[in-house]
């Protein structure tokens, strides 16, 4: 079994909400509330700036991903969110989804990716470090939360998945 991506649409947005709300601890740290509303994530996933996809295992939706090919602030690609539904965590699907993403970005000619992790999110920090990301600096988001900025340079040859 391998993962694949499917675009999030207006018609499938309710599935993304289920993915997001299966992780109330993350929502509390990120947004200060345990459960989000459809209107909140509509703005996040249905916009012109980012690419928003489901992570699927065969025909089952198991997660969401949101990313920018080029952040206007630093001209770097940014992975804004990679979240696996609570029921599917701990099976390596997040690492599989990231490997597929990295392969696709490498095929687009990109050389690296950046992402931000809220300092308190120890689980996410450990996950990204396990995939070879390095903490390159600390910043603060619009809510004043401390963000660890990570970056990973893609290997010259990425396996096609």
């Amino acid at each position: 079994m391998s993962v694949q991506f499917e675009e999030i649409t207006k018609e499938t947005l309710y599935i993304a909400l289920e993915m997001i709300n299966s992780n109330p601890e993350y929502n509390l740290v990120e947004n200060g509330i345990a459960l989000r509303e459809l209107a909140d994530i509509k703005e996040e996933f249905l916009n012109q700036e980012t690419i928003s996809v489901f992570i699927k295992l065969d025909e089952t939706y198991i997660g969401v991903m949101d990313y920018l090919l080029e952040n206007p602030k630093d001209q770097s690609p940014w992975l804004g969110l990679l979240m696996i539904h609570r029921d599917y965590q701990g099976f390596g699907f997040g690492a599989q989804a990231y490997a597929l993403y990295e392969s696709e970005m490498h095929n687009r000619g990109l050389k690296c990716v950046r992402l931000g992790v809220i300092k308190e999110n120890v689980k996410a920090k450990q996950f990204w470090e396990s995939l070879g990301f390095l903490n390159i600096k600390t910043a603060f988001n619009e809510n004043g939360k401390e963000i660890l900025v990570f970056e990973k340079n893609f290997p010259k040859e990425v396996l096609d998945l």
Side-chain angles (χ1 to χ4, degrees):
M1 287 196 212
S2 62
V3 299
Q4 71 263 5
F5 299 140
E6 177 185 300
E7 182 182 1
I8 295 173
T9 66
K10 188 171 62 174
E11 293 75 27
T12 58
L13 191 61
Y14 73 96
I15 302 168
L17 180 64
E18 182 186 326
M19 301 292 153
I20 297 293
N21 284 340
S22 78
N23 292 284
E25 300 85 1
Y26 171 82
N27 289 331
L28 278 170
V29 170
E30 179 72 23
N31 305 291
I33 53 172
L35 297 176
R36 303 206 37 214
E37 301 288 329
L38 202 57
D40 299 334
I41 68 161
K42 180 179 182 186
E43 190 177 309
E44 189 173 335
F45 292 129
L46 301 180
N47 64 69
Q48 298 300 310
E49 292 80 42
T50 65
I51 297 169
S52 303
V53 296
F54 286 110
I55 301 163
K56 290 181 74 178
L57 184 65
D58 295 325
E59 293 304 310
T60 303
Y61 295 98
I62 63 166
V64 291
M65 187 182 301
D66 186 61
Y67 59 94
L68 274 170
L69 292 174
E70 183 178 312
N71 186 329
K73 294 179 183 174
D74 64 4
Q75 289 68 54
S76 294
W78 276 75
L79 180 55
L81 178 69
L82 189 162
M83 178 183 285
I84 301 296
H85 189 286
R86 173 184 291 288
D87 294 348
Y88 296 95
Q89 291 176 8
F91 299 102
F93 298 133
Q96 276 185 42
Y98 174 75
L100 178 58
Y101 164 82
E102 185 175 295
S103 176
E104 287 186 4
M105 295 306 103
H106 187 268
N107 290 340
R108 288 178 180 244
L110 300 175
K111 308 256 187 277
C112 69
V113 65
R114 290 183 174 171
L115 56 87
V117 174
I118 294 175
K119 188 178 180 185
E120 293 80 22
N121 193 341
V122 176
K123 189 175 171 183
K125 181 179 178 294
Q126 291 169 340
F127 174 77
W128 294 115
E129 287 174 339
S130 78
L131 293 177
F133 279 79
L134 300 174
N135 182 205
I136 59 167
K137 66 180 180 179
T138 301
F140 292 89
N141 70 8
E142 59 278 355
N143 301 327
K145 292 189 185 235
E146 193 170 350
I147 305 295
L148 304 174
V149 177
F150 285 86
E151 182 177 80
K152 181 178 182 185
N153 291 312
F154 299 152
K156 296 220 183 307
E157 294 299 320
V158 175
L159 297 175
D160 284 325
L161 301 175

